Amino acid sequence: MKSIKHLAGQSFVEYLIVLAAVSTLLTLPLNFDGPNGRTAAVYLADSVRAFYQSLIFFISLP
């Protein structure tokens, strides 16, 4: 039977691999805007910004 510490170490390595893959995918440029396209992180930030702008507008309505 494997010890708890060994299993905790394995899950940490899996977490690091997934974190590295996600951060790599977020920083790769997308080709929607040509060869110098924006990254997925920029698209995500723009989407969040647009959502909060519409939310602030909705809250400010009488």
Side-chain angles (χ1 to χ4, degrees):
M1 188 168 156
K2 294 183 179 183
S3 67
I4 298 294
K5 284 189 173 190
H6 179 70
L7 293 177
Q10 179 183 356
S11 64
F12 181 70
V13 171
E14 291 175 1
Y15 174 75
L16 285 179
I17 291 172
V18 170
L19 183 65
V22 168
S23 62
T24 301
L25 289 175
L26 283 175
T27 57
L28 289 177
L30 300 174
N31 290 329
F32 298 142
D33 300 328
N36 295 327
R38 299 183 302 169
T39 62
V42 173
Y43 279 112
L44 179 63
D46 289 343
S47 298
V48 170
R49 187 177 303 113
F51 171 75
Y52 277 109
Q53 284 178 351
S54 62
L55 179 66
I56 289 170
F57 175 74
F58 177 72
I59 290 173
S60 69
L61 292 174

